[in-house]
Amino acid sequence: MKEIYVKHIAETLQVQPWQVENCIILLEEGNTMPFISRYRKEKTGGLDDGEVAAVNHSKGVFEELEKRKETVLSVIEGQGKLTAELRSQIESCLEPAVLEDLYLPFRPKRRTRATVAKEAGLEPLADLIFDMKTASPSREASKFLSDKVGSVDDALQGARDIIAERISETPSVRQTLRGIFSQRWVISKVTKEGQNNPEAAKYRSYFDFKEPLQKIASHRLLAILRGEEEGFLNVKIDALVDKCSAKIYYDFCKGKRYPAPDTAQQLKESIEDSFTRLLYPSISREVIKECKAKADAESIRVFGDNLRQLLLSPPVGQKRTLAIDPGFRNGCKMAVLDEQGNLLHHTIIYPHPPQSDKVKSLLTLENICEKYRIQAIAIGNGTASRETEEFLRRVELPEGCKVYTVSEDGASIYSASEVAREEFPDYDVTVRGAVSIGRRLMDPLSELVKIDPRSLGVGQYQHDVDQALLKEELDNTVESCVNLVGVNLNTASPYLLRYVSGIGPSLSQSIVAYRTKNGPFPSREALRKVPRLGDKAFEQCAAFLRIPDAKNPLDNSAVHPESYHIVAKMARDLGVSEKKLLGDKDLLSRLKPEQYVEKDFGLPTVSDIIKELAKPGLDPREGAQEFSFDESVKDIEDLYEGMELPGIITNVTAFGAFVDIGIHENGLIHVSQMRAFAPGRGSIDPSKVVKLHQYVRVRVLGVDLDRKRVSLSLIGKD
């Protein structure tokens, strides 16, 4: 990659160019982002997951820009208009908008007013006025009358059309206006269609709205643009014609002699026409597009943060689990899962109205808990969740059995998916949904990777943002989380294995097929026997796969096989076995990392090895916790101002956080109600205050029964 791009990426990330250059080389060699950030720290200077992902994204952006430059240079050169200065400007530019500005005068275009004027032979007249080489444009215009130009006014109009287009294609003019527009206000007004349309009511706040582009929050801009897309709002930037035209004229005349009055008038009319007819529509679209790109990036960042927290939710682990998908009329669907998440039994009970078969339901539950030695119960948080939780209090549960509430978001998507049909071809969607709820409790990461992240209810305006950028962020997040936690090679599904560094969908199926035919993998080295799993794939994936009962204990750690010899040397130096070394902090404290540095294994790698040996295979996720809502609150009508309640964060956005407080509607903690818990005194980032599925305490600020809205303030966090 060219040096100008490397330097720009380095400046943006505030790292050294050599770090970016080495990272790009590693990516081009086929290394994955998790592998690079974890096992190639010496080469990248310790770039983390996010920084490596940013380098990879910028690499793609600049590769596309370079291709576009080649096209632009080819077209201009084909026209015989490529000067050395223009080539230099094109080759050195870093922004697509700047490149398109440079290309604009040479880009093939449809027939315009300026084109017609040029065909009528009026370009020389336009040159005289534009270059201020005439004091009397009217007198000069009389020399251009012809069968295509009937009058002096027609000649002057044609010349102004040419000048207007020329000005609109001047890069410096466009850049100046971008700067002006970006400092102005965005205005939205309701359209005629939106005035009496019930569907437009959600945009009522924006029927007569204005806010500086520099200050408008991402969610408000995305809402406004969605309203415009649906035809309910008109959106524009309040750039003033007089001021903008005067600025263009001033810059045009700066450093030149002042034009004669008649020439000045022609220029001013050309500039005003250029601004209102050509520049304003074009620049305003560009600036709004740029602001939307920033809003997209912010919204996608929030989505990625929420998804990471969701995927890394605490698991209860391998426990006999009873999963309940609650409901009223259709009953509570129940699924019994063994320690590995396999379905053992399923049934339906009807403890709630209209059937209200409480006695039979109670006996069924008690029998299931006793027969299958249930250790944990997962209740979906949808319809009838609170009622089912209360009903369970009447059941005599086995000692140590705990009850957990689990998010149902996306469970219905999974239950009807091809993945679910492959896993449970003989069961209907209700059984599959209950199984998914149970598995989410046991290991959220393993289950949630089967579902499109956009169906998990943790996004903000996710359908309005750049879908390619959203997919890239979400894919990176899933891959990062899976490889952070590590995967049990002998129990992982193909849907989880595909996100392991270097594996992908095809190899994941091959691994499972080999495992099914030959039994559990006894070691990481045995992976090499999997068809089509070559040396490169093994290098990328091996350290992220775990084998709990392997002969070599390092196979159940994050130590890469390429570093096993370093651990062996450490053990020899201490006079102990490698197994004895694992988890013994006293022994490990005697090691001096610098003594184990080698050519390809620097101090960062050796230090990571010692940290891993101290806690081999440690799951970075915390354990799951029980939670109970306020028993006195069942419905929105039970709430009152000042009431304090426990709650669970269900979604974090740029404007606040939504909280499940045990009723059908989620309450909202507006960003302004987080100040007491926000770091610093500047603007508040909700994602820095609360996390998805975090347990919190809130105070009720207001209850809107008509709109079913509850406003809350944050008063405590667990």
Side-chain angles (χ1 to χ4, degrees):
M1 179 167 283
K2 290 184 176 179
E3 186 179 356
I4 57 168
Y5 301 138
V6 172
K7 285 185 175 179
H8 181 77
I9 297 171
E11 289 173 2
T12 302
L13 295 179
Q14 296 184 322
V15 298
Q16 295 300 312
W18 67 264
Q19 295 176 269
V20 173
E21 188 171 9
N22 285 350
C23 185
I24 289 172
I25 291 172
L26 288 167
L27 288 165
E28 290 176 343
E29 289 175 349
N31 296 289
T32 67
M33 291 182 285
F35 178 80
I36 292 170
S37 62
R38 183 68 185 264
Y39 298 108
R40 291 296 180 263
K41 291 182 178 179
E42 288 82 3
K43 291 190 176 181
T44 68
L47 296 181
D48 62 27
D49 269 8
E51 290 167 329
V52 174
V55 170
N56 189 48
H57 175 75
S58 297
K59 173 178 172 288
V61 169
F62 286 129
E63 285 173 347
E64 289 301 313
L65 182 63
E66 190 63 22
K67 290 178 184 177
R68 180 61 175 162
K69 286 182 181 181
E70 291 173 4
T71 301
V72 168
L73 288 168
S74 176
V75 172
I76 299 175
E77 191 169 33
Q79 297 175 3
K81 298 177 182 178
L82 184 60
T83 64
E85 181 183 3
L86 181 56
R87 176 184 287 277
S88 176
Q89 289 177 321
I90 290 172
E91 290 180 343
S92 62
C93 80
L94 293 164
E95 299 177 22
V98 174
L99 176 61
E100 296 307 320
D101 281 351
L102 294 169
Y103 181 44
L104 189 57
F106 311 98
R107 186 170 60 192
K109 55 174 72 74
R110 59 180 177 77
R111 189 176 172 82
T112 64
R113 283 164 49 173
T115 307
V116 174
K118 289 176 183 178
E119 291 171 353
L122 294 173
E123 192 162 20
L125 175 60
D127 290 340
L128 288 171
I129 299 171
F130 188 79
D131 296 331
M132 295 183 263
K133 291 182 177 178
T134 176
S136 179
S138 297
R139 185 170 61 244
E140 293 294 338
S142 65
K143 301 175 184 178
F144 290 86
L145 301 183
S146 65
D147 57 335
K148 294 182 179 179
V149 183
S151 67
V152 168
D153 286 344
D154 290 342
L156 290 174
Q157 180 62 61
R160 290 196 299 271
D161 289 341
I162 294 170
I163 293 171
E165 186 171 275
R166 189 177 295 175
I167 289 170
S168 75
E169 294 177 347
T170 302
S172 60
V173 171
R174 300 182 70 85
Q175 196 61 30
T176 295
L177 289 180
R178 284 195 196 96
I180 293 173
F181 278 39
S182 65
Q183 300 297 321
R184 299 301 301 171
W185 297 60
V186 62
I187 298 175
S188 69
K189 299 281 188 181
V190 64
T191 62
K192 284 185 177 180
E193 182 183 349
Q195 283 178 341
N196 298 310
N197 192 322
E199 293 183 13
K202 56 189 173 184
Y203 300 112
R204 188 170 302 281
S205 300
Y206 305 112
F207 280 6
D208 187 12
F209 174 86
K210 64 182 294 187
E211 188 169 359
L213 273 169
Q214 292 286 327
K215 294 183 178 181
I216 188 168
S218 60
H219 63 277
R220 286 201 289 274
L221 180 62
L222 291 172
I224 289 169
L225 295 179
R226 181 195 285 179
E228 181 184 43
E229 180 71 21
E230 294 177 3
F232 301 140
L233 299 174
N234 281 323
V235 180
K236 66 177 184 178
I237 297 176
D238 71 334
L240 304 175
V241 176
D242 292 345
K243 289 187 177 181
C244 290
S245 297
K247 173 61 177 170
I248 297 171
Y249 182 73
Y250 172 79
D251 289 347
F252 180 78
C253 295
K254 189 168 58 178
K256 304 175 184 177
R257 59 185 176 82
Y258 193 76
D262 289 349
T263 305
Q265 183 60 34
Q266 294 298 320
L267 286 171
K268 288 178 179 179
E269 289 183 28
S270 300
I271 289 170
E272 185 172 324
D273 175 50
S274 179
F275 178 80
T276 55
R277 181 168 58 88
L278 302 172
L279 285 165
Y280 179 82
S282 173
I283 301 299
S284 60
R285 281 196 302 270
E286 286 184 22
V287 170
I288 288 176
K289 182 179 179 181
E290 182 180 346
C291 289
K292 182 185 181 296
K294 293 178 181 177
D296 283 359
E298 173 62 16
S299 182
I300 289 169
R301 181 194 67 78
V302 171
F303 198 155
D305 288 347
N306 286 347
L307 178 61
R308 175 175 293 276
Q309 293 161 27
L310 183 62
L311 293 176
L312 297 179
S313 297
V316 299
Q318 295 182 326
K319 295 181 182 292
R320 289 269 177 140
T321 300
L322 172 62
I324 304 177
D325 183 1
F328 289 111
R329 182 174 298 279
N330 295 319
C332 297
K333 283 68 69 177
M334 302 199 301
V336 178
L337 308 177
D338 68 13
E339 290 85 347
Q340 283 71 46
N342 299 310
L343 179 62
L344 300 177
H345 175 72
H346 69 90
T347 188
I348 303 177
I349 58 174
Y350 299 90
H352 310 309
Q355 289 90 336
S356 297
D357 195 349
K358 298 184 184 297
V359 175
K360 185 177 179 180
S361 298
L362 188 67
L363 291 172
T364 300
L365 266 170
E366 290 179 343
N367 288 336
I368 286 176
C369 288
E370 181 180 356
K371 179 179 179 180
Y372 293 101
R373 304 186 306 280
I374 297 300
Q375 298 170 292
I377 298 178
I379 304 174
N381 68 342
T383 303
S385 177
R386 287 294 306 282
E387 291 79 2
T388 303
E389 183 184 354
E390 288 179 14
F391 177 72
L392 275 172
R393 293 198 186 102
R394 306 178 187 179
V395 179
E396 187 174 342
L397 299 177
E399 185 177 352
C401 180
K402 296 181 178 180
V403 178
Y404 303 86
T405 301
V406 179
S407 170
E408 291 184 10
D409 286 330
S412 60
I413 301 294
Y414 162 78
S415 61
S417 70
E418 183 178 344
V419 174
R421 289 194 296 273
E422 287 178 5
E423 288 192 295
F424 301 102
D426 300 325
Y427 298 97
D428 65 20
V429 293
T430 61
V431 176
R432 297 172 191 160
V435 170
S436 182
I437 289 170
R439 286 179 171 178
R440 288 182 187 202
L441 177 65
M442 298 172 71
D443 188 351
L445 180 61
S446 296
E447 189 63 18
L448 294 175
V449 295
K450 302 173 186 176
I451 304 169
D452 184 337
R454 288 169 291 190
S455 301
L456 293 176
V458 294
Q460 176 188 355
Y461 292 96
Q462 61 194 56
H463 301 295
D464 299 307
V465 302
D466 184 320
Q467 293 301 296
L469 195 61
L470 176 62
K471 184 178 185 305
E472 178 184 342
E473 172 69 18
L474 299 184
D475 286 348
N476 288 346
T477 300
V478 174
E479 183 181 46
S480 173
C481 291
V482 169
N483 290 284
L484 173 66
V485 172
V487 170
N488 187 324
L489 177 58
N490 287 324
T491 60
S493 70
Y495 316 106
L496 181 61
L497 283 169
R498 70 177 56 184
Y499 289 104
V500 174
S501 168
I503 292 183
S506 179
L507 270 182
S508 69
Q509 295 290 349
S510 297
I511 291 171
V512 172
Y514 182 89
R515 188 177 71 195
T516 302
K517 181 179 179 181
N518 299 283
F521 288 92
S523 66
R524 282 172 170 169
E525 192 63 28
L527 265 173
R528 295 185 184 276
K529 297 179 181 179
V530 174
R532 296 182 294 105
L533 196 152
D535 291 342
K536 189 65 177 180
F538 181 83
E539 175 194 56
Q540 299 296 303
C541 74
F544 299 105
L545 297 169
R546 308 281 187 267
I547 305 176
D549 300 319
K551 182 177 180 181
N552 187 338
L554 294 178
D555 282 352
N556 193 38
S557 74
V559 177
H560 198 287
E562 67 185 8
S563 303
Y564 282 7
H565 68 283
I566 295 177
V567 180
K569 187 175 186 301
M570 291 175 176
R572 285 196 304 271
D573 290 349
L574 292 171
V576 298
S577 67
E578 293 173 34
K579 186 174 183 179
K580 175 67 174 173
L581 192 60
L582 268 66
D584 193 323
K585 294 182 180 179
D586 290 336
L587 281 174
L588 293 169
S589 66
R590 301 181 202 171
L591 296 171
K592 295 181 179 179
E594 57 273 10
Q595 292 181 351
Y596 300 93
V597 171
E598 300 178 4
K599 179 183 177 183
D600 296 324
F601 304 95
L603 192 59
T605 293
V606 175
S607 298
D608 280 350
I609 290 172
I610 294 174
K611 288 178 184 177
E612 178 62 20
L613 293 176
K615 297 179 179 180
L618 178 69
D619 192 326
R621 300 170 294 180
E622 298 177 354
Q625 295 178 306
E626 284 187 289
F627 176 86
S628 296
F629 292 109
D630 189 312
E631 295 182 17
S632 66
V633 175
K634 306 291 191 305
D635 190 85
I636 191 171
E637 294 181 351
D638 295 329
L639 301 176
Y640 56 84
E641 289 185 20
M643 191 177 196
E644 296 184 2
L645 300 165
I648 303 174
I649 301 294
T650 59
N651 199 1
V652 182
T653 72
F655 55 85
F658 290 95
V659 186
D660 184 355
I661 52 176
I663 60 176
H664 299 296
E665 298 80 18
N666 282 339
L668 173 65
I669 307 174
H670 189 266
V671 63
S672 61
Q673 298 301 321
M674 298 180 175
R675 172 61 67 187
F677 296 88
R681 296 187 177 182
S683 59
I684 301 172
D685 180 354
S687 66
K688 298 290 191 298
V689 180
V690 293
K691 303 297 181 185
L692 201 66
H693 290 179
Q694 183 175 16
Y695 299 156
V696 295
R697 285 200 63 78
V698 296
R699 180 180 292 113
V700 178
L701 295 180
V703 181
D704 186 335
L705 294 176
D706 293 334
R707 295 195 294 174
K708 300 289 185 180
R709 291 183 178 180
V710 181
S711 56
L712 307 167
S713 66
L714 181 65
I715 60 173
K717 300 190 293 181
D718 292 338

